[in-house]
Amino acid sequence: AQKITQTQPGMFVQEKEAVTLDCTYDTSDPSYGLFWYKQPSSGEMIFLIYQGSYDQQNATEGRYSLNFQKARKSANLVISASQLGDSAMYFCAMRVISGYSTLTFGKGTMLLVSP
Amino acid sequence: GAGVSQSPSNKVTEKGKDVELRCDPISGHTALYWYRQSLGQGLEFLIYFQGNSAPDKSGLPSDRFSAERTGGSVSTLTIQRTQQEDSAVYLCASSPGRGYQETQYFGPGTRLLVL
């Protein structure tokens, strides 16, 4: 079975600063994908960034980057130059090659960006 | 292009009544998923459809829950004899296929309140 752990229930950051949201995962599958989603107060789940288990380089998407450390089974999300609109719930999720193809989610981290 | 749409946005019902929630996936996406998100929690997998294959129902919490997908497109999640613990946000997602690297795109959700 797969498991995603997000140990930070809440994080605070000042506008324009960088912030790292932690995510560790557990799976015995060699092939898997790691995803980060943002959920603002409106409730929609917005896809941010993807990292594949065989990717040699860390994924980047604009201000988002993923610090992928395979040996430590961690996939931390780094948001550079935080903006007020980044205040939201952030979920780390994983999908493996075997079994059914659903996503396993962590419990999320609430990020609050202050002016 | 159009994203995943869900209806209704909000549903208030009385305990014991049946409800139907609808999901329109992104055109061309063969995989469709239903998740449930209880207040302040992560997402819980309910059911997964892939093309014309039999759905994976392993996440359905009880036999009061059922879902169908007609013509490989629109899906309906039905909850019979609703209970107060069914109150949650029901999220639908679709992806182009079932590969582990494929991103799931979410709809805005249906907020269900059972009185």
Side-chain angles (χ1 to χ4, degrees):
Chain A
Q2 295 71 242
K3 186 176 181 181
I4 295 284
T5 302
Q6 294 181 255
T7 57
Q8 305 156 314
M11 289 285 286
F12 294 89
V13 66
Q14 278 201 313
E15 205 175 3
K16 300 180 184 176
E17 291 186 348
V19 62
T20 298
L21 306 183
D22 294 342
C23 172
T24 58
Y25 61 92
D26 188 27
T27 180
S28 56
D29 264 280
S31 303
Y32 51 88
L34 295 157
F35 302 80
W36 277 91
Y37 286 86
K38 171 185 178 182
Q39 188 177 42
S41 56
S42 57
E44 60 193 303
M45 293 285 285
I46 302 168
F47 165 70
L48 296 178
I49 195 167
Y50 164 80
Q51 179 84 43
S53 59
Y54 298 110
D55 293 344
Q56 295 297 311
Q57 294 192 332
N58 288 339
T60 61
E61 288 286 350
R63 295 187 298 110
Y64 304 108
S65 61
L66 203 152
N67 184 0
F68 181 46
Q69 297 187 42
K70 194 171 183 177
R72 298 179 62 182
K73 293 190 174 181
S74 74
N76 299 337
L77 176 70
V78 180
I79 305 174
S80 63
S82 297
Q83 301 173 355
L84 296 178
D86 293 335
S87 293
M89 196 75 169
Y90 289 80
F91 290 97
C92 179
M94 174 170 62
R95 195 176 184 184
V96 301
I97 195 172
S98 64
Y100 53 77
S101 195
T102 186
L103 283 168
T104 300
F105 283 84
K107 293 190 179 298
T109 295
M110 173 64 76
L111 176 66
L112 290 177
V113 182
S114 60
Chain B
V4 177
S5 61
Q6 291 186 246
S7 61
S9 301
N10 297 280
K11 177 71 176 179
V12 180
T13 190
E14 293 179 349
K15 178 181 172 181
K17 295 282 182 69
D18 298 351
V19 295
E20 285 190 351
L21 313 180
R22 177 188 168 103
C23 172
D24 276 278
I26 293 172
S27 177
H29 281 194
T30 61
L32 186 148
Y33 311 79
W34 284 97
Y35 295 88
R36 178 170 71 174
Q37 185 176 28
S38 301
L39 187 63
Q41 299 296 311
L43 273 70
E44 171 192 13
F45 165 72
L46 296 177
I47 188 169
Y48 158 57
F49 295 90
Q50 172 60 48
N52 296 320
S53 303
D56 183 331
K57 304 178 182 180
S58 59
L60 294 178
S62 77
D63 58 8
R64 296 186 295 104
F65 288 73
S66 63
E68 63 177 19
R69 188 179 185 190
T70 54
S73 181
V74 171
S75 176
T76 302
L77 177 69
T78 301
I79 309 173
Q80 296 178 311
R81 304 181 303 282
T82 52
Q83 303 294 313
Q84 289 181 331
E85 60 262 29
D86 299 334
S87 296
V89 177
Y90 290 82
L91 289 158
C92 175
S94 71
S95 65
R98 63 166 293 162
Y100 71 87
Q101 72 279 19
E102 301 201 48
T103 299
Q104 293 184 21
Y105 296 92
F106 284 79
T110 293
R111 287 153 188 78
L112 175 66
L113 178 61
V114 182
L115 301 176

